[in-house]
Amino acid sequence: MRLNSLRLTNFRQHVDTRLEFESGLTGIIGPNGAGKSTLLEAISWALYGALALRTDKEGVRTIRAAGRAPVKVELDFDLGGHRYRVERGLTTAELYLDGAPEPVANSVTGVTDFLRRRLRMTRQEFFNTYFTGQKDLSVMNAMGPTERKHFLSRVLGYDRLRAAQEMARERRRIVTAQLNGLRSAMPDPESVGRMLAQAQERLAAATARAGDAAERAGKARLVVQELEPRWTAMQQVRDAVQRVAAELRVLENETANLTRDGERLARETAEIADARRELEGLAEQLAPLAALAGRLQAMEELYRAEGRRQTLLENDRQLAEDLARLRERLQRVETAPSLEEEVTVELEAKRRELVTVEGALEAKRTEWVRDRQEAETKIQALRQQYAELKQQRETLVNLGEDGTCPTCARPLGDHYRHVLDLLDAQLETVGVDGQYYRQRIGQLDEMPDDVKALDEQRRRVFEDVGKLERRLAKVQLAVQELGQLRRDIAAHEQRHAALQQDLAALPSGYDADAHRAALEERARLQPLDARATKLSALVEREDPVRAAAAETLARLEAATAKLSALAAERDALQFSEESFDALRRGYEGALAEFRAAELASVAAEGEVAAAGQDDDRSRAAQRELDAQRERADALTDERRLHDELDDAFEDLRFRLNEQLRPEISALASILVTELTDGRYTELELDDDYAICVLEDGIRKPAISGGEEDIANLVLRLAISQMIADRAGQPFSLLVLDEVFGSLDEARRQNVVELLRRLHDRFEQVIVITHIESVREGLDRVVTVRYDEEAGESRVRVERPGEPDEAPVEVGAGAEA
């Protein structure tokens, strides 16, 4: 694998960073937190998606970026003779192959799966192969023998065999549980056989009973068929007799009703004659009623006019009172316009005075507050400085003269006492300054007298302005009211004139006594008029009543004739109730026997069906028993298979672990020969998986720090080579992250020189560190700095040994 370029947009500290990678030894140098390791995280995210992030996706976006600002990483690399370009965002991903315009994958999951198949490595294998951190070089030294063995197995992927073996064992446990459950739930074969035999016996007995019931039903059906015609004829005769009797009853009721109707119509005819005579006597008494109604109508109109007159007079009186009140108010507010001008002049003068006083007060108060805030800020800074100096002194005292300076990382030695005295002097100076500013804050706690006087003057002027504003508001309301009063007076005068016109137009001459006498006369005549109306309605019914009486007589004569004919028809029918009852009992008995036989036949058929279902259930239980036996046999075979798999995995793991040490030792020996130019030619892992350096085939009892660094690096590279070989990928890229942290200057330079010797084996070697002193041994240096003001990481490229050039920073591109 070879990296070509990397671009980050709004990815953590990097707002817009672009790197171009080249062959050789490249260093990415910068202080901690500047964004160096973020570059590795971006490469991992581009290849393996969200699983490679240190936080959730929403925590990736640059802090100062807008909420919807795009987050994007674009990685360009070569692998297996092809060139790949992957572009990944928070919710999108695209992968382009060999510069094609269209992506070969365009979804988050699709891009991740495609790259995993091409790399033929999981994310853990990828980082165990191409990337090495400081803790990875010496991690095995702190482990015991068993831990070293398990660590190597896990890194090389042998733990997958253990996982596969656990899966086989888990499946065997599941199969065993299923087999035990199946056997415990399996029915007894003898019980199933007995149940099947009993069901077949019940089926045979039910079939025999069904045949007997069917024979009985056939005999009963013949008897019913013989009696049924006679019974039908007898029922028809009985129905005819009942029909004639019903018609006779209807005619008898109709004759009685017609007789009563005739009597009622005769009484109504007599009542109509009496009403005609009474109506002739009432006509003379009701003759004056029409003239009385005309006089009452005229009196009612004069009465309504008189009521309207009284209402208008009351409204006119109220209107006159309102008009007098409005004219009185008008006289009081006519002086409001001149008064408004006087109050306005006085108010403006007071407002100008208030602005002048407030300006002077604000200037004095600002000066006082600023002095106090400056004193508080100064004493806060002195407190922080005092705490830092005190902590530095305590740290220095704890380190002693033989310690290392925490600032410059150099031994203290003779400088210890000088540095200690310098810190004591600084502490004393900070203490004296702090005492001064505490006294100054105490002096400034109380408001100065000139500020208090100006504040009191501002309060008095402010109250005067408020009083004048309220007075002006009242005067302005009076000015507004003046116009409204004039309009209201004009409207009331116009309304008064209209009321006088309405009063002049009303008629007069209403006489209350004559109106009351006419009403009493109408009240006396109204009951007589109502009686006359009722009698007239009765007289008008005389012709219909006479016609109804004639019709009722005719219908009575016809009903009497039909009643005689039906009586003769009834006598002609010969019907005996005793013969009918005897035939009915015989027919119903035969029918009951037939129905009982049918029910018995149906019951017998139900028993046959139930017996058949029992037989089916018994046969199904036998089939289920046979199927469970087959399932138990299959589970038994599967359990034997997983027993064999467990033994095979155990044997394979033992063989691989036996081959692990020789294979790693052989690869490490080849690498150590190249790195030391033949000084050492053999490394091996002993029985405790501890690394040993051999010289002329003999183990060295002790090795130097530099030799230990070489051995650890070679072992890490050998492990990475094994993983890469198993993945089928050429191992051409090596990234070392912070491998110089625990080394002194001489050992750092030794490691840099060793890395330069790896150029023939690794086309690209990238070192990430915060140690500035290693830059001289590198081919190219990418400097990463965090700009606090801009809130982003900035990158520039340098080439040690070449003249300084203008730095290439974010947005312009950078080479690595």
Side-chain angles (χ1 to χ4, degrees), residues 3-8 14 16-22 26-28 35-36 38-40 42-43 74-76 83 764 766 768 781-784 794-797 808-816:
L3 301 179
N4 295 322
S5 66
L6 174 67
R7 182 166 187 176
L8 288 72
H14 294 270
D16 188 8
T17 299
R18 185 172 67 252
L19 296 177
E20 299 291 338
F21 296 95
E22 294 183 0
T26 300
I28 301 178
K36 305 185 302 299
T38 301
L39 301 175
L40 297 185
I43 295 173
E74 181 177 346
L75 176 65
D76 190 296
R83 186 158 185 166
Q764 288 179 317
I766 300 174
I768 300 176
V781 175
V782 178
T783 303
V784 183
R794 297 193 179 275
V795 177
R796 70 176 183 181
V797 175
V808 181
E809 294 193 350
V810 173
E815 295 183 354

Side-chain angles (χ1 to χ4, degrees), residues 585-657:
R585 286 192 296 273
Y587 178 76
E588 289 178 351
L591 187 60
E593 174 63 18
F594 172 65
R595 290 175 178 172
E598 277 190 334
L599 291 175
S601 177
V602 171
E605 290 176 356
E607 292 179 2
V608 171
Q613 291 176 356
D614 291 342
D615 183 63
D616 292 340
R617 284 194 292 270
S618 300
R619 295 181 185 275
Q622 184 64 47
R623 290 193 297 270
E624 179 65 21
L625 176 61
D626 295 340
Q628 290 178 348
R629 286 174 175 173
E630 293 178 0
R631 176 62 178 161
D633 294 341
L635 290 174
T636 302
D637 294 340
E638 186 176 358
R639 184 175 62 180
R640 293 195 191 99
L641 173 62
H642 285 86
D643 288 340
E644 295 176 2
L645 282 175
D646 186 22
D647 296 338
F649 280 130
E650 189 70 27
D651 183 62
L652 180 58
R653 287 176 53 210
F654 175 77
R655 292 178 181 275
L656 289 175
N657 287 327

Side-chain angles (χ1 to χ4, degrees), residues 439-509:
Q439 294 176 357
R440 179 62 176 160
I441 290 175
Q443 296 171 358
L444 294 174
D445 280 341
E446 183 70 23
M447 181 184 293
D449 293 337
D450 55 349
V451 177
K452 292 181 179 178
L454 285 172
D455 186 59
E456 179 62 24
Q457 183 181 358
R458 182 198 62 80
R459 184 187 62 78
R460 292 195 302 271
V461 175
F462 183 79
E463 289 178 354
D464 294 341
V465 169
K467 293 177 181 177
L468 288 172
E469 286 178 345
R470 290 191 292 274
R471 184 181 178 189
L472 178 61
K474 292 180 179 179
V475 172
Q476 289 174 344
L477 288 175
V479 172
Q480 295 176 1
E481 185 183 4
L482 181 60
Q484 184 62 39
L485 285 171
R486 290 170 178 169
R487 290 190 294 271
D488 290 346
I489 289 173
H492 278 65
E493 290 176 346
Q494 184 178 3
R495 177 61 180 160
H496 175 70
L499 285 176
Q500 294 299 322
Q501 292 178 0
D502 292 341
L503 286 170
L506 290 175
S508 59

Side-chain angles (χ1 to χ4, degrees), residues 265 269 272 541-555:
L265 290 172
T269 302
I272 290 171
R541 294 185 61 248
E542 181 176 7
D543 292 339
V545 169
R546 292 183 181 277
E551 182 182 359
T552 299
L553 181 59
R555 289 175 58 192

